[in-house]
Amino acid sequence: MAAPAFDFTPLLPAGLPPPAARWTGLAKFSFVGGNNDPEQVPVEGLIDAVNAVLKREGRTLATYGLASGPQGYRPLREFLAAKLKHDAGIACGSDDILIVSGSLQALDLVNHTLLAPGDTVIIEQETYQGALNRLTRLGVNAVGIPLDRDGMRMDALASTLAELKRRGIRPKYIYTIPTVQNPTGTILPEARRAELLRLSESYGVPIFEDDCYADLIWDGKRPPAIHAMAGNGCVIHIGSFSKSIAPALRVGFIVAPWEMLSRMLALKTDAGSGALEQMVLAEYCGAHFTSHVPKLTRGLRVKLDTLMEALNEQFGTAAEFEEPKGGIFLWVKLPDNVDTLRLYQAALTEGVAINPGPEWSTNKVHSHSRLRLCFASPSREQIREGVAVLADVCRREFGVPVRIANVERHARG
Ligand SMILES: Cc1ncc(COP(=O)(O)O)c(C=O)c1O
């Protein structure tokens, strides 16, 4: 007879997050997550890069941190310093950058440096679920600021800051995804960035700028980073190679004043992020980043067009959306009676995975009938088929869409 399984439960400390669910595989039609287009991973270039860099520097793997120190592989930080200067106007050197294990680790390090339970932060009303969940878990009060076509609304931010001040609350930071916002796809114009900095300064609240989609803009034109426009070091800027190269590599970075970087380094107790990934990225990106990105965005744009066409065809006017200026997501509004949390459950049983709006928003009423669709990872065929199945499920559950393209819709046989 097998011995009874050891029971760890009485040993678990209080305050652990709920246990993770086992992974059950990707849905047949997966519109979830921030995954990239598998066809666009530059596999050949990465193979050449890994060969070249390992032949030249493989023996440095014998040392924690590759003899580059705890901030990460120096050639990668040098690449980033030059890229950030050229693309985003950020004047920083390689010593102002900390390489981390994906920008998720950046979120953790910034949060653990600045936040305690009961603190207040300001975020965009619709925002990255990973950021939102972290704040909830930390017991932090996240105040959402509504967005419009140009991103976070500065009038709303100004009144929220004034109201919080009246109540004696100084928020710990203003978190923003200003350049191709997740999930709305908006880009905060330069004038709003200047206004954001003005408000940040007058209320003494730093800005946490998450720029991980900034490379994926259709016309390649971006405003300067908020970090680049700040004169007083009040901006912590983070970015990632997840969206431009591949998310499974787990390489991101933080640009911040040493006063903050030194605190984050003290909390980064993993003896350095994966070295091979950093070496390969530095080798590949130095030679190929600027030619890779326009190819990637052209491909993503074609998939976005496919998704918008499929939605127009299958949902007609029942699906409303603003065309995003770049990125990998479409933020969609369905009729008010559609509860996207329920739609998510029903669609999943038919093999279609979507991100329901309430998981990406501080305003559960506003996001009740909204959803986020990632168009980067499914193929164009999967996009067309998946949207058709989603429309069928939505009709069955909520009675919409009623019509498509002026033709009465009949249930699929
Ligand atoms: C806004 C935003 N920040 C951070 C991340 C985390 O990305 P990674 O840890 O892969 O760099 C994501 C991922 O989708 C994101 O959308």
Side-chain angles (χ1 to χ4, degrees), residues 84-353:
L84 289 167
K85 172 84 196 142
H86 180 268
D87 296 353
I90 294 178
C92 70
S94 53
D95 287 341
D96 305 311
I97 298 174
L98 170 61
I99 304 289
V100 289
S101 303
S103 46
L104 279 173
Q105 189 178 42
L107 287 174
D108 285 335
L109 292 175
V110 172
N111 285 346
H112 289 133
T113 302
L114 287 174
L115 303 181
D119 279 345
T120 294
V121 299
I122 293 180
I123 62 176
E124 285 146 343
Q125 178 178 285
E126 276 69 48
T127 191
Y128 174 44
Q129 185 194 30
L132 207 48
N133 288 349
R134 278 170 166 69
L135 296 169
T136 308
R137 215 177 297 144
L138 287 168
V140 167
N141 176 32
V143 181
I145 306 295
L147 300 122
D148 62 18
R149 287 172 178 203
D150 286 329
M152 198 196 300
R153 275 179 37 205
M154 290 304 122
D155 59 330
L157 175 64
S159 53
T160 299
L161 283 166
E163 168 62 14
L164 288 172
K165 184 169 183 183
R166 205 183 51 74
R167 289 164 45 204
I169 297 170
R170 180 182 177 187
K172 284 291 183 74
Y173 60 61
I174 302 165
Y175 171 72
T176 176
I177 311 163
T179 319
V180 188
Q181 209 264 348
N182 179 3
T184 60
T186 53
I187 296 181
L188 198 72
E190 190 168 345
R192 277 200 195 181
R193 292 174 189 234
E195 177 63 4
L196 176 55
L197 278 166
R198 196 190 63 73
L199 289 168
S200 146
E201 195 172 345
S202 68
Y203 286 91
V205 181
I207 297 168
F208 184 4
E209 175 177 43
D210 185 344
D211 234 12
C212 71
Y213 296 98
D215 294 311
L216 308 183
I217 300 177
W218 310 137
D219 66 8
K221 294 196 195 99
R222 58 155 302 162
I226 301 168
H227 184 290
M229 297 169 65
N232 63 355
C234 68
V235 181
I236 298 170
H237 177 98
I238 67 170
S240 177
F241 288 93
S242 289
K243 313 303 167 181
S244 53
I245 306 289
L249 290 174
R250 310 307 305 129
V251 181
F253 58 91
I254 305 173
V255 187
W258 177 245
E259 183 196 359
M260 284 299 294
L261 274 193
S262 57
R263 295 286 179 171
M264 293 190 246
L265 257 179
L267 288 169
K268 190 175 185 302
T269 52
D270 58 5
S273 295
L276 194 51
E277 296 85 331
Q278 297 182 53
M279 294 166 92
V280 172
L281 279 171
E283 195 76 13
Y284 175 79
C285 292
H288 304 294
F289 193 84
T290 47
S291 56
H292 165 71
V293 164
K295 268 189 272 168
L296 172 62
T297 51
R298 271 197 301 279
L300 292 173
R301 174 72 231 201
V302 170
K303 286 190 167 186
L304 169 63
D305 287 339
T306 305
L307 177 60
M308 293 192 300
E309 273 162 34
L311 285 167
N312 285 332
E313 215 172 287
Q314 300 295 335
F315 281 84
T317 53
E320 296 169 43
F321 44 83
E322 294 282 341
E323 192 175 308
K325 298 193 165 122
I328 55 178
F329 304 119
L330 189 65
W331 182 238
V332 180
K333 165 80 175 73
L334 294 178
D336 289 343
N337 69 311
V338 178
D339 168 356
T340 52
L341 283 166
R342 196 149 75 70
L343 177 64
Y344 157 74
Q345 294 291 352
L348 202 56
T349 62
E350 307 283 335
V352 182

